[in-house]
Structures are given as C-alpha cells and as structure tokens.
C-alpha cells in the first residue's frame, strides 16, 4: 500500500495510490497520515479498502510529505562504508545519531538555499517510519514497529556543519532541508529494505548510485539501537544514511546553486525532482 498527502502546504489531505498509479481521496476515512493513523490496526483497515471506490484526485495536485510534520526526524550518520571513506571519516562501531530540526516538506517543493549558503549538499536516504513506538525494542521484533518506508533527502549546509562549530544538527535543520516522499510504502511492498537501489542526480549527472545492501547497520538494528536512547513514537522518521557521491566528496567539491535541479529515487519508493532557488527568489 502506498499512502500520500496532497494539497496546498498546511492543507494536505490523505490519499492512497491505486493499482494504476492514480491518487484516491482518503479524507472520509482518516483525518491525516500521522501517529494515530500509522498503528497496525489503522493501516490494516485502510488496506482493506477498495481504492476504486474512493474519489479520484486530479493529477495536477501538489504532493506533500506522506507523513504529517508532527514527529521527529532521527538520523543515522556515516552508515555506508563508501560514504565514510569519501569524507575521510572512520565507520562508526555503533550507529551515529543526530536530529534534523526541520519539518518534512513535499517531494517536489522548491529547495530555497539559506541566504549565506555556500556549501549546500545532497544526501539521498531510505527513511523508516515508525508505526508502533517503544523503548528497548529487540532487533527481532523491530519490524513490528515499522509502518513503512519512504524516500528523503538529508539536505545539508556543510558550512554550518563543519565551519561553524562542527555541529551536525545545525547544518541539517534549515527550513526545506527534509524533502520526503512521494509515498509512505507499507512493508508488504518492500519485503527486503536491505536490497534497494538508491540514486541521485544533479542537472542530469549521476552522483550517487548505490544499494541499501551496503548499509553498515541494517534497518532492524537501527530501530532497535535508536530505541535504547529515545522512546520512539508513531510518526517518527528515521533516516538511515547515504551512500557515496555527496557533493563534499567530489574533487573538487560540488555544491548546490540556484538553477540546479536535483532528482533522486529508491526502488519501490518513487522519486523526487527538486528545483533549487536562492532564498530571496519569488517562486510561483
């Protein structure tokens, strides 16, 4: 099952994707796709619906983040061996955790660079959406806590992250730095999240071309590990790390600038196409 949220910013409504790829309105069945919706019982009720009986949504509608912006974004850093190597850092023995302090945005919304941006970078990642929370989750039961998976870009301003105090969260929390979606895809459609192709291009040039089989710490391990330190809650989003090919790792480094277009995707989770703008640009 593929779930989405569509409509103007702040006025999104829930939707399901039918077998033909059309959006169908879920507003008569749920208010939003959030922590309350993501429990196992609620998802089972939605899965039992016949999408063909639901109102169709016009295909020109804006696609928002597939989860409401009320949970946390918990990130795992340096979780691909090739990415750690390209930025010259050792692979952590335990998962490295940090938070993004911004809210998810839509998968095709414009990315507006900070006014003093000089090193804005990309990081395509597999996202885990928590459906059933908890502390001290065992690795073997971790899949029972997952509502689904999604695509996201852990956008990073490296000058904030590396040149101004060396603090990761500061470099990753500017508004718009977490485009998510287009869908939340339930685990029945992603039987092996550890074997998905993952890629990213800037202006048609492919920079990242990897596979989640190269994750240092896998999905179940990550959920279990994070739950040793955080009380996970329904609606939380865990970003699992990025493969090699970030802008910082190029020779010389390459960073985003106004006019660029970033496209990226993961098998089964859809793709995004994001135009890059200066902060003061008038958009739309």
């Amino acid at each position: 099952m593929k779930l989405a949220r569509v409509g103007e910013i702040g006025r999104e409504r829930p939707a399901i994707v039918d077998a033909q790829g059309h959006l169908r309105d879920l507003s008569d069945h749920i208010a939003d796709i959030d922590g309350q919706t993501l429990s196992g019982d609620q998802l089972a009720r939605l899965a039992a619906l016949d999408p063909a009986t639901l109102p169709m949504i016009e295909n020109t509608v804006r696609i928002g983040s597939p989860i409401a912006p009320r949970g946390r974004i918990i990130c795992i850093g340096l979780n691909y061996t090739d990415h750690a190597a390209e930025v010259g850092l050792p692979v952590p023995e335990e998962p490295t955790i940090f938070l993004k302090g911004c809210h998810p945005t839509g998968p095709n919304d414009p990315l507006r660079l900070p006014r003093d941006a000089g090193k804005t970078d990309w990081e395509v990642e597999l996202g885990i959406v928590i459906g059933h929370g908890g502390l001290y989750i065992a690795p073997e039961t971790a899949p029972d806590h997952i509502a689904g998976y999604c695509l996201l870009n852990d956008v990073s301003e490296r000058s904030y992250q590396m040149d101004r105090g060396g603090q990761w969260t500061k470099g990753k929390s500017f508004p718009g730095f977490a485009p998510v979606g287009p869908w939340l895809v339930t685990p029945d459609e992603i039987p092996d999240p550890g074997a998905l192709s993952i890629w990213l291009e800037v202006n048609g040039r492919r920079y990242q071309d990897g596979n989640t089989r190269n994750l240092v710490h896998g999905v179940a391990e990550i959920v279990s590990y994070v739950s040793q330190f955080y009380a996970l809650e329904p609606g939380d989003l865990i970003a699992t790390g990025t493969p090699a090919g970030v802008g910082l790792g190029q020779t010389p480094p390459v960073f985003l600038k106004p006019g660029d277009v970033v496209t990226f995707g993961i098998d089964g989770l859809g793709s995004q196409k994001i135009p890059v703008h200066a902060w003061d640009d008038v958009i739309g």
Side-chain angles (χ1 to χ4, degrees):
M1 181 169 59
K2 296 181 176 71
L3 299 175
R5 296 171 68 252
V6 302
E8 298 176 9
I9 295 173
R11 300 180 62 185
E12 294 91 346
R13 62 189 190 275
I16 191 171
V17 181
D18 68 19
Q20 289 72 43
H22 301 303
L23 292 165
R24 301 282 184 159
D25 198 331
L26 283 172
S27 298
D28 290 339
H29 298 272
I30 55 173
D32 205 346
I33 300 174
D34 55 16
Q36 292 184 332
T37 306
L38 296 173
S39 70
D41 290 345
Q42 282 279 56
L43 288 178
R45 185 170 67 85
L46 295 179
L49 297 173
D50 179 1
T53 66
L54 303 174
M56 188 175 294
I57 298 172
E58 64 276 11
N59 61 10
T60 58
V61 69
R62 170 187 172 268
I63 307 296
S65 163
I67 52 175
R70 292 188 281 275
R72 295 168 294 188
I73 304 177
I74 303 167
C75 303
I76 307 299
L78 301 175
N79 200 30
Y80 286 76
T81 54
D82 54 0
H83 174 53
E86 74 174 342
V87 296
L89 294 171
V91 175
E93 293 185 9
E94 296 187 29
T96 298
I97 303 175
F98 63 93
L99 296 176
K100 286 182 80 76
C102 54
H103 295 303
T105 54
N108 304 307
D109 290 348
L111 172 63
R112 302 178 74 167
L113 302 178
R115 284 177 176 164
D116 56 352
K119 299 180 180 179
T120 306
D121 207 345
W122 56 82
E123 294 189 11
V124 58
E125 306 200 11
L126 169 69
I128 305 167
V129 180
I130 299 298
H132 176 58
L135 271 170
Y136 301 119
I137 298 168
E140 58 269 22
T141 61
D144 299 334
H145 293 258
I146 298 173
Y149 302 97
C150 61
L151 169 67
L152 75 144
N153 187 351
D154 175 20
V155 182
S156 308
E157 175 52 42
R158 303 296 190 189
S159 66
Y160 296 173
Q161 177 186 346
M162 304 176 71
D163 303 335
R164 300 181 64 178
Q167 214 273 2
W168 287 17
T169 295
K170 182 167 60 179
K172 294 169 175 282
S173 299
F174 196 78
F177 273 22
V180 177
W183 314 307
L184 185 159
V185 183
T186 51
D188 57 293
E189 295 200 18
I190 308 293
D192 186 359
L196 304 175
S197 294
I198 178 169
W199 58 273
L200 180 143
E201 297 177 351
V202 180
N203 301 329
R205 175 180 170 182
R206 183 155 297 198
Y207 284 93
Q208 294 187 275
D209 195 358
N211 194 289
T212 58
R213 69 171 59 96
N214 294 321
L215 285 166
V216 177
H217 306 285
V219 166
E221 180 187 355
I222 288 170
V223 172
S224 175
Y225 185 85
V226 171
S227 77
Q228 312 306 303
F229 311 97
Y230 294 80
L232 289 174
E233 299 174 355
D236 283 345
L237 171 59
I238 303 177
T240 59
T242 197
V246 301
L248 180 65
Q250 308 303 307
T251 305
V254 177
F255 298 115
L256 296 174
K257 61 186 185 302
D260 286 344
V261 177
V262 185
T263 54
F264 52 98
I266 297 178
D267 281 353
L269 300 181
S271 61
Q272 300 189 16
K273 184 176 182 179
I274 297 178
V276 180
H277 292 260
W279 176 252
D280 296 313
D281 283 354
V282 176
I283 300 173

